[in-house]
């Protein structure tokens, strides 16, 4: 059977594209550190998020030497903490976020980082990250959650370890 030259060209191009798409996924997961948000955080009762063992009073907790846990409640239209007071964490430590919603689905995107998750009522999104540099990251809600969705934002401040005041954390 005779295959037209252009037909062959398109066949090759299609396979090259498929290989390239697979390569980007492999690169993303092995090199760029892209991963799925862990569901290890488990579930909570959205009507009473701190009643569950999986969730604490929102805030920053020292989890160990150089390890911090950050519990965040997302609700219409604020991150607690994050919106009224910035979330302060030290650089070059292991920071694990536990984020849940007490009303509707929200988003939690740390601009300039790969921290990005949907926040679903009843589900705790768990992400561990290490900030290499000090600086301020904007938190954006990127899931439409109601009339003031566009105003739902917050701040994460990454400070040098020597400037981090341990008074700011709750002992675990
Ligand atoms: Cu919360 Cu949009």
């Amino acid at each position: 059977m005779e295959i037209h030259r252009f037909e062959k060209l398109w066949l090759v191009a299609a396979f090259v594209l498929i290989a390239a798409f697979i390569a980007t996924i492999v690169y993303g997961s092995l090199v760029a550190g892209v991963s799925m948000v862990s569901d290890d955080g488990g579930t909570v009762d959205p009507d009473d998020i701190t009643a569950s063992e999986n969730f604490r009073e929102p805030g920053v907790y020292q989890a160990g030497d150089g390890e911090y846990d950050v519990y965040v409640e997302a609700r219409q239209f604020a991150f607690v903490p994050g919106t009224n007071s910035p979330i302060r964490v030290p650089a070059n430590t292991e920071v694990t976020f536990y984020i849940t919603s007490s009303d509707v689905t929200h988003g939690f995107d740390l601009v300039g980082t790969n921290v990005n998750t949907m926040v679903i009522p009843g589900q705790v999104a768990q992400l561990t990250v290490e900030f290499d540099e000090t600086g301020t990251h904007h938190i954006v809600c990127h899931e439409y959650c109601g009339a003031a969705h566009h105003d739902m934002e917050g701040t994460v401040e990454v400070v040098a370890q020597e400037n981090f005041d341990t008074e700011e954390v709750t002992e675990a």
Side-chain angles (χ1 to χ4, degrees), residues 106-107 141 143-145 149 152:
H106 296 277
C141 176
E143 293 288 338
Y144 182 74
C145 54
H149 156 72
M152 185 164 169

Side-chain angles (χ1 to χ4, degrees), residues 74-79 103-107 140-146 148-153:
R75 57 172 155 80
Q76 289 168 319
F77 295 97
F79 297 102
D103 42 40
V104 299
T105 299
H106 296 277
V140 177
C141 176
H142 56 53
E143 293 288 338
Y144 182 74
C145 54
H149 156 72
H150 61 284
D151 281 334
M152 185 164 169
E153 55 178 8

Side-chain angles (χ1 to χ4, degrees), residues 87-93 131 133-136 156-165 168:
I87 298 169
R88 277 167 64 87
V89 290
N92 300 304
T93 59
F131 297 101
E133 290 169 16
T134 59
T136 301
V156 170
E157 281 178 15
V158 181
V159 298
Q161 279 186 58
E162 56 270 26
N163 295 339
F164 187 74
D165 187 355
E168 297 172 45

